[in-house]
Amino acid sequence: MKILLTGSAGQVGGALLPLLRERADVVAPLREQFDLSRPDELAGKLESIKPDLIINPAAYTAVDRAEEERELAFRINAESPRAIARWAAPRGVPLVHFSTDYVFDGSGDRPWREDSATAPLSIYGQSKLAGDLVIAEAGALHVIARTSWVYAATGANFLKTIVRLAGEREQLRIVADQIGAPTSANAISQAVVAMLPRSDKELRKIFEARGGVVNLVCAGETSWHGFATAIVSGLQSRGAKFAVKEIVPIRSDEFPVKAKRPSNSRLDLTRLRERFGIAPPSWQQALDRELDVLKATI
């Protein structure tokens, strides 16, 4: 089986790469070799690679900057997925794509189902939703894995930011009225690999029977404040020393940003369990693994 993996320098792509290489021939081009900001070039690139499966974690993820870079965000998050899906559809090549909780407006306090009404609050969310829709419209065999609050022990993310700030400041002020499930890139990658059959002959059958949108996040819920507190206390229990003495919960309106975030990012995991038999770890379990990895580097 030949797998094309985009975004291998990112969090999810980087976590997927070694797992996929244990099972298949993986083509993991650099960004300049498979540039999602140039959707018109992708069909030719795909034709030269001829993958049996495409996994596309690459995306425009600068949530606040997207408010000023709408065209670029849509080019990467919508136009390129359309180009990929249009190449894949007539050839029967399955596509795994990644979406986000930002497609919802964050109202209420019930977990969002895959078929819940979407109403993104930001340009980033709009661009990701557009990508979801054009993949389905192209008729490609697909699984769109909808994730939230993605982080890893490497790269630029909330976990790494909290570790840095905790070493610099005695007080951290963290938003406490946005609720979701912190989800490690490793947990996402383990689940994606578990979805895939060993043989390329089974790929189409799996995607035909189980494809569509599926929520893929860690189990449980917390706030950004709760997540930050768990990060600091977890590393302290592992012997890390920080300057921080207090982590203060604040409201979203006390921490102004350009792009509005959903207050409720809970995602229902029923479909993940029923279609794929996957029960993801709790967010605390996933965090423990990342903290073990991170502790060795600080």
Side-chain angles (χ1 to χ4, degrees):
M1 185 191 316
K2 181 187 285 188
I3 299 175
L4 170 63
L5 174 66
T6 71
S8 60
Q11 294 178 133
V12 173
L16 273 167
L17 184 58
L19 298 179
L20 294 174
R21 279 182 168 160
E22 294 176 357
R23 303 166 60 110
D25 174 18
V26 181
V27 179
L30 300 174
R31 181 182 300 176
E32 57 267 25
Q33 297 171 320
F34 197 86
D35 189 348
L36 269 65
S37 70
R38 300 185 178 192
D40 293 344
E41 299 178 359
L42 298 185
K45 304 277 188 181
L46 288 162
E47 193 59 35
S48 65
I49 297 169
K50 291 185 171 57
D52 301 305
L53 170 66
I54 303 166
I55 302 181
N56 181 43
Y60 182 107
T61 58
V63 176
D64 291 313
R65 195 163 70 239
E67 297 296 307
E68 300 173 353
E69 294 183 345
R70 184 184 188 280
E71 181 182 352
L72 180 59
F74 270 81
R75 197 184 315 147
I76 293 173
N77 291 346
E79 292 177 30
S80 282
R82 177 193 284 119
I84 293 170
R86 284 181 173 175
W87 181 89
R91 294 164 178 83
V93 175
L95 168 63
V96 178
H97 183 73
F98 294 85
S99 187
T100 173
D101 57 297
Y102 280 61
V103 301
F104 299 114
D105 66 9
S107 59
D109 57 9
R110 298 181 65 180
W112 298 99
R113 293 166 47 91
E114 289 83 355
D115 56 1
S116 296
T118 52
L121 303 173
S122 64
I123 297 298
Y124 167 71
Q126 292 168 19
S127 70
K128 291 298 291 179
L129 176 59
D132 298 353
L133 296 175
V134 297
I135 288 171
E137 289 168 1
L141 295 170
H142 65 274
V143 168
I144 297 175
R146 193 164 278 159
T147 67
S148 74
W149 297 21
V150 180
Y151 71 96
T154 58
N157 53 66
F158 185 82
L159 167 61
K160 297 297 290 296
T161 298
I162 291 300
V163 171
R164 175 178 59 81
L165 293 177
E168 297 171 353
R169 304 178 184 178
E170 292 190 355
Q171 184 187 83
L172 302 182
R173 294 168 54 82
I174 308 295
V175 169
D177 58 0
Q178 295 173 21
I179 306 299
T183 302
S184 71
N186 178 69
I188 293 169
S189 301
Q190 294 284 350
V192 168
V193 170
M195 293 177 182
L196 303 177
R198 287 279 179 180
S199 167
D200 59 345
K201 295 179 181 179
E202 299 297 316
L203 267 177
R204 295 184 186 183
K205 293 180 182 178
I206 292 292
F207 279 71
E208 287 170 353
R210 306 177 188 176
V213 180
V214 60
N215 293 334
L216 202 177
V217 295
C218 285
E221 63 183 57
T222 189
S223 66
W224 289 111
H225 176 268
F227 188 23
T229 301
I231 291 168
V232 172
S233 63
L235 285 171
Q236 286 175 330
S237 71
R238 289 165 171 79
K241 305 297 182 184
F242 293 118
V244 69
K245 297 178 180 178
E246 184 180 24
I247 303 178
V248 179
I250 63 171
R251 301 186 309 274
S252 296
D253 59 14
E254 296 179 82
F255 187 76
V257 289
K258 290 182 180 179
K260 189 173 182 181
R261 272 73 168 166
S263 297
N264 173 23
S265 289
R266 301 170 178 89
L267 298 179
D268 185 281
L269 292 171
T270 303
R271 183 176 290 183
L272 182 65
R273 291 192 298 268
E274 292 181 349
R275 286 194 183 180
F276 294 97
I278 294 172
S282 70
W283 70 266
Q284 297 97 327
Q285 290 170 323
L287 177 61
D288 278 342
R289 180 195 178 279
E290 296 306 304
L291 294 183
D292 286 341
V293 174
L294 185 60
K295 178 57 178 66
T297 67
I298 61 174

